[in-house]
Amino acid sequence: MSAPAPIQMVDLKTQYERMQEEVDQAVLDVIRSGAFINGPAVKDFQAGLESFLRCAHVIPCANGTDALQIALMALGLKPGDEVIVPAFTYVASAEVIALLGLSPVMVDVDPFTFNVTAEIIEPAITERTRAIIPVHLFGQSCDMEPIRQLARRHDIYIVEDNAQAIGAEYTFTDGSVGRTGTLGDIGCTSFYPSKNLGAYGDGGAINTDSDDLAANLRRVANHGQNRRYYHDVVGVNSRLDSVQAAILNCKLPHLDAYNRRRQEAAAVYDERLAGIDGLLTPARLPASTHVYHQYTLRVSGGRRDALQEHLQQAGIPSMVYYPVPLYDQAAFRGTAANKIDFLPVTDQLCKEVISLPMHSELDTETLAYICDSTRQFFAG
Ligand SMILES: *Cc1c(COP(=O)(O)O)cnc(C)c1O
């Protein structure tokens, strides 16, 4: 077996080349217009994303981490208030909690979907719990209906970390369907270049259906002011750049198609990697579509790193998302804010997970090569 073309974890260049003229023109238009800050491109993107998400308000901002921070600030939480967050996620989800002087209460995740569930969250709720941050990890929605019921019962806000799942849809038992990010009180997403909807730099957005929360979010993101030079609260400066907005305007109409290409690649992986002893393909939640920000396997028997080495020898990149539980990160370990010191599923996942190349440009030949090479490892 020889590798087809150089295989990439993410292929941003080919995707760009497919729409180069349009993107180049859009960027030039912003530069020539001089409307660099909150120009028409940003307004257009806001409207476009509102319609894509089927949500009343989108507040564009500088990145996904800011989106989460602004969301928590807009809820008016006080120091010491507890916010529940999974320990198996990207650091940003928990970092913003600690940064604001709130207490991150880390919880475990389901070993098959990698997401938090209502059953996992419930025992972590206390008198001081004010919010939950469900993370739709790797592109699949958490099971939000029971989480919503739980949050409503305890009068807790839901701030969805939708950085990895933009475009995924969740179906409620009454048959109604909503995009991830619109299933709680506030949704937060990121346009980091490798995300499913990636800019060519940083970008993020917050969304909500509540007029009141939207007004708070806008004010916090804009130095705490509604009227220029009159600052009601301490806020931040977080804006989506007009050049990035122009690029995102070109890409947003293709997002559903990009996600379908990821699903097609995942279906090939699923089929060709099924039934291997010691290897688990990612589980699907029936109520959610999966937009495969990552295609993440579990390797048992302590062989994950050996598989990664084997793939690397064959010219196949792979990544470990995430190698260290958040409660074990130096930033959180032993802090007063963090009362958790071990969660068995998170611990196990950090030792077992490996993510294969996943993007909108993977062809059948490349996928076959990756799957054959993976099979070969387990046969040997
Ligand atoms: C990417 C990501 C973020 C942060 O987004 P940035 O734009 O990089 O700040 C937050 N949460 C999750 C789960 C992410 O994957």
Side-chain angles (χ1 to χ4, degrees):
M1 272 191 306
S2 67
I7 303 174
Q8 292 174 280
M9 206 53 205
V10 178
D11 182 357
L12 300 174
K13 189 154 176 279
T14 308
Q15 194 190 55
Y16 164 63
E17 284 164 359
R18 286 178 198 279
M19 56 190 329
Q20 182 164 3
E21 258 178 65
E22 192 193 343
V23 168
D24 291 358
Q25 190 59 53
V27 169
L28 272 178
D29 286 348
V30 172
I31 295 170
R32 287 177 181 152
S33 76
F36 301 124
I37 301 294
N38 287 333
V42 177
K43 304 270 183 320
D44 289 351
F45 179 66
Q46 176 188 325
L49 192 59
E50 282 165 356
S51 120
F52 177 87
L53 290 173
R54 305 187 291 270
C55 185
H57 306 282
V58 163
I59 298 95
C61 64
N63 57 66
T65 309
D66 273 11
L68 289 161
Q69 181 183 330
I70 293 162
L72 293 179
M73 288 173 78
L75 294 178
L77 308 188
K78 290 175 206 58
D81 283 352
E82 293 178 358
V83 179
I84 295 174
V85 65
F88 188 65
T89 178
Y90 182 57
V91 66
S93 323
E95 188 177 37
V96 295
I97 303 171
L99 184 72
L100 293 173
L102 309 168
S103 295
V105 174
M106 296 183 189
V107 295
D108 223 345
V109 294
D110 177 87
F112 304 107
T113 63
F114 311 121
N115 278 334
V116 290
T117 64
E119 294 74 47
I120 294 169
I121 292 166
E122 186 155 23
I125 294 176
T126 73
E127 284 293 297
R128 306 210 65 174
T129 308
R130 293 288 173 273
I132 307 169
I133 303 185
V135 182
H136 306 306
L137 202 69
F138 302 149
Q140 174 167 242
S141 182
C142 299
D143 196 2
M144 290 303 290
E145 185 158 348
I147 292 175
R148 273 161 55 126
Q149 288 161 352
L150 183 67
R152 206 165 294 153
R153 225 167 35 243
H154 293 271
D155 199 18
I156 301 171
Y157 288 110
I158 297 176
V159 176
E160 295 171 78
D161 184 338
N162 193 31
Q164 299 192 0
I166 191 165
E169 290 190 318
Y170 179 87
T171 305
F172 291 88
T173 45
D174 70 359
S176 62
V177 178
R179 298 269 199 194
T180 51
T182 68
L183 308 170
D185 297 292
I186 301 177
C188 300
T189 199
S190 163
F191 309 117
Y192 184 82
S194 63
K195 298 282 155 84
N196 289 36
L197 178 61
Y200 295 159
D202 279 308
I206 315 157
N207 64 273
T208 182
D209 273 326
S210 154
D211 298 344
D212 290 343
L213 283 179
N216 272 349
L217 291 163
R218 274 196 197 97
R219 189 171 64 164
V220 169
N222 183 28
H223 296 292
Q225 66 190 342
N226 287 325
R227 186 153 63 109
R228 207 164 194 190
Y229 306 124
Y230 292 81
H231 306 275
D232 309 327
V233 292
V234 172
V236 297
N237 171 27
S238 188
R239 294 185 283 248
L240 179 66
D241 186 279
S242 292
V243 170
Q244 299 305 333
I247 293 159
L248 290 166
N249 282 331
C250 299
K251 292 179 79 171
L252 180 59
H254 303 286
L255 178 54
D256 279 329
Y258 292 154
N259 284 341
R260 273 196 300 277
R261 305 251 335 196
R262 288 172 178 269
Q263 287 163 346
E264 284 161 16
V268 175
Y269 280 142
D270 276 348
E271 193 194 321
R272 291 184 176 242
L273 296 176
I276 299 177
D277 219 22
L279 186 74
L280 217 55
T281 56
R284 297 285 312 277
L285 182 78
S288 176
T289 61
H290 199 320
V291 295
Y292 293 100
H293 176 59
Q294 299 297 340
Y295 187 86
T296 303
L297 301 165
R298 280 179 55 188
V299 182
S300 59
R303 302 182 73 199
R304 190 262 317 272
D305 294 351
L307 171 62
Q308 184 161 41
E309 177 67 26
H310 169 88
L311 293 173
Q312 197 193 322
Q313 297 288 326
I316 300 166
S318 63
M319 295 289 284
V320 172
Y321 301 117
Y322 296 92
V324 182
L326 283 189
Y327 56 78
D328 221 11
Q329 295 283 0
F332 298 107
R333 205 187 302 136
T335 61
N338 178 29
K339 296 184 211 123
I340 305 289
D341 56 12
F342 184 77
L343 296 167
V345 176
T346 295
D347 182 72
Q348 186 179 6
L349 291 177
C350 288
K351 293 173 177 141
E352 291 192 359
V353 290
I354 183 166
S355 300
L356 296 180
M358 177 50 78
H359 50 82
S360 58
E361 315 298 323
L362 281 164
D363 57 49
T364 318
E365 193 197 2
T366 305
L367 289 165
Y369 175 76
I370 296 169
C371 293
D372 289 349
S373 182
T374 304
R375 277 198 166 275
Q376 192 188 59
F377 172 80
F378 288 96

